[in-house]
Amino acid sequence: MGDQVTGALQAAAEAIRNADRLALACHVGPDGDALGSMLGLGLAARNAGKEVVASFGTPFDVAPPLRFLPGLDLLVPPADFPEEPAVMVVFDCSSADRLGELGANAGKAGTLVVVDHHVSPDDFGHVALIDSTSASTGELVHALLGELGWPIDAGIAECLLTAIITDTGRFQYQATKPETLRIAARLMEAGAVPSKITQNVYEKTPFGYLKAAGAALERATLHPEEGVVATVLHEDDLEANGIDWGDTDNLIDLIRLAEEADVAVLAKVFRDGRIKLSMRSRGATDVGGLARALGGGGHRLAAGATLTGETPEEVIQKVVSMVEDYR
Ligand code: 5GP
Ligand code: MN
């Protein structure tokens, strides 16, 4: 952890310690890192006597695989979130647009603390605890709790270990460091059970997901010259099989298995015409840079963007024509 991050850690801890009330938020469509980090800090703050609310922008729905997380009772719908919070902390999110409608609340916060491991395109927040070398936001929350001197009970440990496990792809991605594993070990000692987390997140899915994934795999296209594998998942696929978007978070991990491709692209097509791209790279392509060029964001090896006004086929063709520039 560099000097700048250590300074930000102290500043973030001070802002949080001095607050009686904390308003917490994370990015829309929260994944395990966003939700686990936010609830982990929220539970610790409540234990420390703070009044805590947590939320995320519409659609206000926790993905089914994450519904085992402790601390879901901290969640309030975005409409009930304080309009002008004195102290607001945002997790796994370093730009206002990733907060959905809560971006407006962040703009009016007395003190806005950002806890994230993404490279931030804009100057966001009064205190920016951002470390792009961290494999997960959960590790930064672990450091923050250490700085605050707040105890980590089994529930908090489960939230933070979920954050770390999901964002490191079960410790398999390159961002995983020795320190990541040391923190995970400490969280286990505090009572978190990795097999409980992985069984909930990775080892079960509604049967309908198999059928929807089958439809998406059937449609997959390989662009061997550019090294891209791509496919499309429609909201109709979900409806036909009785599942939600939240059930499909692991689909990109199936697509990316094609060894001919460095880049895997999943275009999720919403009824309202929005297309949410999920992109993964084996290493040769900076999909984070590519996503930023499309108005999105993320990391070198995992990134995304949301587009409108084009067909999924056009969007995929655009990505295929762009990859060369990000190698
Ligand atoms: P996923 O494909 O799992 O949804 O997202 C992978 C990564 O890309 C995450 O780290 C996430 O922060 C980033 N990402 C995904 N979608 C978007 C988006 O619409 N905008 C931005 N700025 N980042 C995104
Ligand atoms: Mn993350």
Side-chain angles (χ1 to χ4, degrees), residues 127-179:
V127 179
L129 173 53
I130 296 176
D131 182 1
S132 61
T133 69
S134 183
S136 63
T137 299
E139 285 153 75
L140 293 171
V141 172
H142 178 267
L144 190 53
L145 294 180
E147 183 69 30
L148 283 158
W150 287 355
I152 295 181
D153 64 20
I156 298 165
E158 185 166 290
C159 288
L160 298 185
L161 191 57
T162 299
I164 294 171
I165 286 177
T166 53
D167 250 35
T168 60
R170 293 176 265 186
F171 306 108
Q172 72 182 342
Y173 302 150
Q174 286 169 19
T176 308
K177 288 179 293 197
E179 184 61 9

Side-chain angles (χ1 to χ4, degrees), residues 185-207:
R186 278 182 230 131
L187 294 172
M188 272 185 83
E189 284 160 357
V193 180
S195 59
K196 177 184 172 195
I197 296 168
T198 54
Q199 275 167 24
N200 275 287
V201 178
Y202 298 107
E203 303 294 332
K204 58 180 192 164
T205 176
F207 178 72

